[in-house]
Amino acid sequence: MKDLYSNSLPNLSDSLPGLSSPEKIKNIIFDLGGVVIDLRREDAVEALEKIGLKDADSMLGLYRQEEPFLGLETGRLTAGEFFETIRSMCHGATDTEITDAFNRFLIDIPEERLVRLRKLREKGYRLFVLSNTNPVMYNSRIGMLFRKEGLTVNDYFDGIVASFQELTCKPDPEIFSTVVRRYRLNPEETLMLDDSPANCEAARSIGLNALQVGRRPDDDMMALTQQFL
């Protein structure tokens, strides 16, 4: 697959001054939503409201959720407890209806991003996930999206740290430290790519390099990883 930005980007150290020594990077940590996976929060809000969740707009945030979604994301609620809580607010919505509505948050993973992940690993970079996510999405829509090339999410990364398994979520610096400790990473050699300014700041607070990913062709995941190839 042709790289769309291969002939248009300046040198990384010049175009991205937030990364002081790009040549030292050996590990890249990816957020999932908003970085690898395209999001559309308003679609989930609309779908949840249709099944009767009146406060969906105030409960769902782009970077951080409110209860009961936050409880699911931090592992304080099991999937079953979450479904029961939402069902009580939706006058009997089924688990499938709740799952389908919630998953409308996740749009797609362009296949070129999956190809990019594979190419980065082929170049010798170690890749990791650090994501605020939940078991409902992770075991359904997220798992499905990563199977586009006949692989699984675990085939693209050397390690995955998910908030619901760690009982805390970004921007708590402890979850960033968890990744560093678990996979024995040197923070100076590690780059975090995240779409949240608060999460990037938290990553930097423990010594990681961090760049905020946007949605434009010059600052999305493809653009910010091109010059590591």
Side-chain angles (χ1 to χ4, degrees), residues 31 63 132 170-171 176 192 194 196-204:
D31 181 23
Y63 302 129
N132 285 353
K170 299 179 290 184
F176 294 91
M192 177 81 209
D194 201 294
S196 162
N199 293 345
C200 289
E201 187 60 33
R204 295 185 190 108

Side-chain angles (χ1 to χ4, degrees), residues 116-206:
R116 175 59 53 83
L117 293 172
R118 289 194 291 102
K119 287 185 175 181
L120 288 168
R121 293 189 81 191
E122 289 169 4
K123 291 286 288 187
Y125 293 100
R126 297 177 70 204
L127 306 187
F128 302 91
V129 165
L130 174 55
S131 180
N132 285 353
T133 188
N134 61 79
V136 174
M137 287 181 171
Y138 192 80
N139 294 320
S140 58
R141 180 76 173 154
I142 291 174
M144 183 192 71
L145 290 174
F146 273 96
R147 290 196 290 270
K148 283 188 173 185
E149 296 186 309
L151 303 173
T152 72
V153 61
N154 294 304
D155 294 314
Y156 292 95
F157 300 101
D158 295 275
I160 297 173
V161 173
S163 62
F164 72 92
Q165 295 172 330
E166 304 303 324
L167 307 184
T168 188
C169 62
K170 299 179 290 184
D172 183 350
E174 179 57 30
I175 198 169
F176 294 91
S177 297
T178 295
V179 182
V180 171
R181 289 194 306 266
R182 184 168 298 166
Y183 300 107
R184 299 181 180 180
L185 305 181
N186 180 344
E188 294 181 358
E189 298 175 346
T190 305
L191 172 65
M192 177 81 209
L193 295 179
D194 201 294
D195 63 329
S196 162
N199 293 345
C200 289
E201 187 60 33
R204 295 185 190 108
S205 75
I206 68 154

Side-chain angles (χ1 to χ4, degrees), residues 59-67 69-70 73 102 105:
M59 292 177 180
L60 282 184
L62 186 58
Y63 302 129
R64 183 178 174 88
Q65 315 308 329
E66 300 299 331
E67 300 295 352
F69 295 93
L70 181 60
E73 198 163 82
F102 196 13
F105 209 129

Side-chain angles (χ1 to χ4, degrees), residues 10 25 28 41 44 49 53 72 86 105 124 138 150 159 170 194:
I25 297 301
I28 306 176
R41 172 186 170 275
E49 288 177 343
L53 188 62
L72 183 68
I86 295 296
F105 209 129
Y138 192 80
K170 299 179 290 184
D194 201 294

Side-chain angles (χ1 to χ4, degrees), residues 40-54 56-57 60 100-102 104-105:
R40 192 173 297 136
R41 172 186 170 275
E42 57 269 27
D43 285 5
V45 170
E46 180 181 4
L48 287 164
E49 288 177 343
K50 283 183 178 179
I51 64 170
L53 188 62
K54 296 180 180 180
D57 188 49
L60 282 184
D100 290 346
F102 196 13
R104 291 286 300 277
F105 209 129

